[in-house]
Amino acid sequence: MKQDVKNKVGLGGLTGLIIGGTIGSGVFTLPATLTAGANPEGILIDWAIVAVGMFSLAGVYRNLTLQQPDIDDGIYGWSKRLFGDLGGFIANYGHGIGDAVGNASYLTVMFSAFGGFSIFAFFGSGTTWPAVIAASILLWIITALVMRGIHTSTGMNNITTVAKVIPIAMFIILAI
């Protein structure tokens, strides 16, 4: 049976989703934290360990998807099948809270960085009212783009993934 692949995400889009989803704000604060007490070799070893963990998690999701192709609602579906409705709800709720906390921390770090420039000093440490309002507006804009469809959200994710990978690659090159 031939599947309709017209509205599916391609390999590049899926790769961007995985990379973008595994890179959070912690990756960008990691160099400052590590350089206080580690040499470049130690930092590269730490990042290698983190990379193995990220790719392992992506592999787990890939294997679950391949082994259970009839489940198309991810963490909720896998948990529901194993643990029932309550287990699916708890897994999905926990994942949603993790996403919310991740978004809040990423935006706090981002607006804190903006606050370091005199022109954006009103953002302060990323927790001022202007920063909270700007972060909320940004999240709603992203939500609106995602709701436009899979191609719009995949394209947006690919752009942000490149923007995340460039500084990481630059740090690794400079550390070497």
Side-chain angles (χ1 to χ4, degrees), residues 28 47 162 164-176:
F28 296 106
W47 277 36
V162 169
K164 292 175 187 178
V165 170
I166 288 172
I168 293 170
M170 287 175 54
F171 174 78
I172 291 171
I173 291 168
L174 292 173
I176 292 172

Side-chain angles (χ1 to χ4, degrees), residues 102-161:
N103 286 338
S105 64
Y106 179 74
L107 289 170
T108 301
V109 168
M110 185 176 83
F111 283 104
S112 173
F114 283 143
F117 296 100
S118 59
I119 192 169
F120 296 117
F122 54 89
F123 286 139
S125 63
T127 57
T128 62
W129 279 111
V132 170
I133 292 168
S136 296
I137 291 169
L138 183 60
L139 278 177
W140 280 111
I141 290 170
I142 291 170
T143 300
L145 288 171
V146 169
M147 291 178 70
R148 287 192 63 204
I150 193 145
H151 294 292
T152 302
S153 61
T154 302
M156 181 182 64
N157 186 67
N158 289 343
I159 291 168
T160 58
T161 299

Side-chain angles (χ1 to χ4, degrees), residues 1-91:
M1 175 168 70
K2 186 176 179 181
Q3 290 183 329
D4 180 26
V5 294
K6 182 178 179 184
N7 292 322
K8 301 282 183 177
V9 178
L11 178 61
L14 289 173
T15 303
L17 286 170
I18 295 296
I19 293 171
T22 53
I23 299 174
S25 63
V27 170
F28 296 106
T29 59
L30 188 63
T33 306
L34 289 176
T35 53
N39 60 20
E41 292 84 12
I43 294 170
L44 291 174
I45 290 169
D46 290 346
W47 277 36
I49 292 169
V50 169
V52 168
M54 290 187 324
F55 285 114
S56 297
L57 183 60
V60 166
Y61 288 143
R62 178 183 176 277
N63 286 335
L64 283 170
T65 302
L66 292 175
Q67 291 175 8
Q68 300 174 349
D70 56 314
I71 297 177
D72 61 357
D73 44 5
I75 292 171
Y76 170 75
W78 297 318
S79 299
K80 180 181 174 185
R81 178 169 288 174
L82 285 173
F83 306 112
D85 289 333
L86 180 61
F89 171 77
I90 290 171

